[in-house]
Amino acid sequence: MDGDERREAAERLREYGNDTLKDGSLLRTLKDVTGADSWRSVLLALADLIDPEGAGGR
């Protein structure tokens, strides 16, 4: 994720957090927010949000 993608995902997380997941499951919501296609991709995307220059270096 680049800087713009991180900011967009963070903003969407804030929106969803204020709207009780928009009536979806946590995983479905996180997949939507991060653009991920699996739970593993969700975890990697969240790791990129938390530590964008971490070990993955994506």
Side-chain angles (χ1 to χ4, degrees):
M1 288 184 157
D2 65 24
D4 289 337
E5 290 171 322
R6 283 193 301 276
R7 282 186 287 283
E8 181 180 328
E11 182 59 32
R12 292 178 74 196
L13 284 169
R14 289 182 190 98
E15 289 173 12
Y16 278 71
N18 289 328
D19 195 21
T20 62
L21 300 177
K22 296 191 183 270
D23 300 323
S25 71
L26 177 59
L27 180 58
R28 187 176 322 129
T29 299
L30 290 174
K31 285 171 71 174
D32 181 48
V33 166
T34 61
D37 59 358
S38 70
W39 65 268
R40 287 185 177 120
S41 296
V42 166
L43 294 179
L44 293 171
L46 291 175
D48 285 347
L49 285 170
I50 293 166
D51 183 17
E53 297 175 20
R58 289 181 301 280

